[in-house]
Amino acid sequence: MTCMRCGREADPPPRHRIGFPAPVKERILQSICAECWKEWEGVEVKVINEYRLSFLDPQHREMLQKACFDFLKLPEQA
Ligand SMILES: [Zn+2]
């Protein structure tokens, strides 16, 4: 696949590393390469700490998803 973020020809990230609901996960697997996903994982930790996000809070999960899409330059919703 060609990564939508960096434009490189590369493999998608490992499926189990993407902790988003199925439709979001599928979009990421189709558009984002493993390298870009790794970059996001680094940023994700900072976002979670900075905003004290909890995976148990649906609103927080939504915020995290939005931050992820912003970072990966994916359109908000298909
Ligand atoms: Zn990429």
Side-chain angles (χ1 to χ4, degrees):
M1 49 86 86
T2 305
C3 176
M4 269 180 65
R5 179 167 178 266
C6 66
R8 278 182 297 218
E9 203 63 46
D11 290 327
R15 182 171 283 268
H16 70 272
R17 310 270 324 197
I18 306 171
F20 289 127
V24 177
K25 189 189 283 213
E26 290 308 319
R27 283 189 66 200
I28 289 167
L29 284 170
Q30 282 164 22
S31 4
I32 297 300
C33 75
E35 275 304 304
C36 287
W37 184 255
K38 219 182 275 177
E39 269 183 59
W40 158 248
E41 285 181 332
V43 172
E44 183 181 36
V45 175
K46 286 183 205 141
V47 172
I48 289 171
N49 290 338
E50 193 175 334
Y51 297 103
R52 298 167 187 277
L53 298 183
S54 161
F55 282 108
L56 300 174
D57 186 327
Q59 219 176 335
H60 284 188
R61 282 204 304 264
E62 212 171 282
M63 277 173 69
L64 192 62
Q65 195 175 303
K66 192 184 180 305
C68 176
F69 276 44
D70 282 352
F71 180 78
L72 298 172
K73 299 189 179 19
L74 283 172
E76 193 63 20
Q77 209 38 271

